[in-house]
Amino acid sequence: MLSATAPLLDRLRAIVGARHVLTGCDATRAFATGYRYGNGDVLAVVRPGTPLEQYHAFCACIAADVIVIAQAANTGLTGGSTPHGHYDRPVVIINTLRLKGVHALAGGTQVVCLAGATLYDLERELAPLGREPHSVIGSSCIGASVIGGICNNSGGALIRRGPAYTEMALFARVMADGTVELVNHLGLDLGTTPEDILGRIGQGRLPVTGEAGAAPCAASCQDYAARVRDIAAPSPARYNADPERLFEASGSAGKVMVFAVRLDTFPREEQTATFYIGTNDTAELTRLRRTILAQFRELPISGEYIHRDAFDIAAVYGKDVFVAIERFGTDRLPRLFALKNRIDAVARRWRILPANLSDRVMQAASRLLPQHLPPRMRAWRDRFTHHLILKMPRDGVDEARTLLAQMFPSATGDMFECTPHEAQKAFLHRFAVAGAAIRYRAIHADRVGDIVALDIALRRNDEDWLEVLPSAIADAIEARLYYGHFFCHVFHQDYILKKGVDPLALEHRMWDLLDARGAEYPAEHNVGHLYPAKPALAAHYRALDPGNRLNPGIGQTSRQRDWQ
């Protein structure tokens, strides 16, 4: 195998430089292992430094008949950008994180993002222009890439913006005969040859605003506000495999090699107000959601739900992440995660050191930190099981104040309007929930089992949104974390299992319950290698990649050449 692939490795080193072609288990492990799920053997990890290098490396891999997996930040939860299991050909990962670049169009109302641009990079570039990207909290804090969100049709916390979506992308696809075709659907005249097109994109030499013209296609979800308001619809507002959101790079899951995408940006919200709501009756939150979506002139900016159990676990096992973001900002967090990975790599080589060394060190340090949650949030935790953080735009604040004053206090619930300090902490705490289950399992690995992580989209007309598990399933679970984007009816449900419980068997039993409820899943984290791709999604993959050369096996589809 090594002798057969040696010419390819030599070619890749000539394209990107020897130091950017990683081989061997130690050098490639961090790239070949998913953030939460998935791992496998790779021939090499290639880290191009320009879009043209990315293109030539891709062409070299296709010519050598190896599998290509495109990867950016590797922050996904379902293993969608890492290998998993065995393949019929060698695997090369093309990691794009060196390919930074965010280029504004039309005064920043749109942007062109290169393959390695992160949500944080985009947020930072847009801030001086008074603009925001599709997502401004959540994955941006751990360095997820812009294009990763597009390829996965990822969601977000911001109600009016819907899933990440564009019809304008620059990508390469492999035709049925194995030839590579470069497709420029950015709506920008960048030349005719790959050298012209990719050279100009890499250098940011785009047409000036007047020459760029209006976008010929959609660069965001145009109809989502109307869609989420339709509370009578017996279908979810958004989910990954929605056939209406599968278009070339959007929803491609690595079945094409994407170099750049063109996206809409949004005006930064000013003079907002945040309300913290607690209740012991889920019907109160249902009535609030349905009233706001059906009757308010202005949709909320966001409405984030947290169950008390998730609140408690995040307060202990997400504390260090909370404090790190609060004190150092989101731009430092990717470096902290990189340091964490290096510590864990050293610990794996020295068996005398405990497993999950970095998690144990960070958790021990967090115990020395002072209380980080405001008194009113802690008081609401003691009083109420269900928590909702509601953020309203300037023109919707009075509407919200009037409705909330009519509803609360009640026999089962109450609310308060947050100070800016409390609002910041409330949303940071909500973000910290996402990684708390992983930390909990790492610290208690001796007594708990694996994690089953579901993100589900309920029907828009569902009123009974909180699940009730049968005892046969509930008894197998050590801890549950329920949280999510309440108005979109998209929920994250993390289950920390008891020792010895088979996670895949339990998850499949949960799928049956979700199917009976008419839910769609996954809602925003991609099928990865955990979920079977539904027919429309599988057909999208096959149309993009007829030879099954890119990320084969995604969505539990065939791993074999030509989809055999």
Side-chain angles (χ1 to χ4, degrees), residues 42 59 79 174 195 226 228 236 241 310 344 357 374 411 475:
V42 298
C59 291
V174 185
E195 287 72 20
V228 76
D344 288 337
L357 177 61
D475 291 346

Side-chain angles (χ1 to χ4, degrees), residues 94-173:
I94 297 182
N95 181 278
T96 63
L97 272 190
R98 292 179 64 215
L99 299 166
K100 303 293 186 183
V102 174
H103 308 303
L105 295 174
T109 58
Q110 289 192 325
V111 289
V112 172
C113 296
L114 300 191
T118 65
L119 288 173
Y120 169 73
D121 295 331
L122 180 53
E123 191 173 342
R124 180 186 58 196
E125 292 295 326
L126 291 176
L129 304 176
R131 309 287 295 184
E132 291 180 340
H134 166 268
S135 296
V136 296
I137 191 169
S139 296
S140 58
C141 296
I142 57 173
S145 70
V146 174
I147 284 180
I150 293 295
C151 292
N152 295 332
N153 276 353
S154 297
L158 301 179
I159 294 168
R160 292 171 287 182
R161 300 180 190 176
Y165 178 78
T166 187
E167 296 171 2
M168 293 188 288
L170 172 62
F171 60 94
R173 61 187 174 199

Side-chain angles (χ1 to χ4, degrees), residues 402-417:
T402 299
L403 176 62
L404 293 172
Q406 293 170 354
M407 292 184 63
F408 302 107
S410 68
T412 55
D414 204 350
M415 55 77 62
F416 63 86
E417 185 169 343

Side-chain angles (χ1 to χ4, degrees), residues 310-345:
F311 184 109
D312 289 347
I313 290 177
V316 176
Y317 298 95
K319 184 177 180 179
D320 57 312
V321 172
F322 179 110
V323 173
I325 297 172
E326 185 178 44
R327 295 189 180 180
F328 305 120
T330 57
D331 57 327
R332 302 282 184 88
L333 215 56
R335 299 178 191 174
L336 292 177
F337 274 88
L339 176 60
K340 178 182 183 300
N341 288 336
R342 286 197 292 272
I343 292 173
D344 288 337

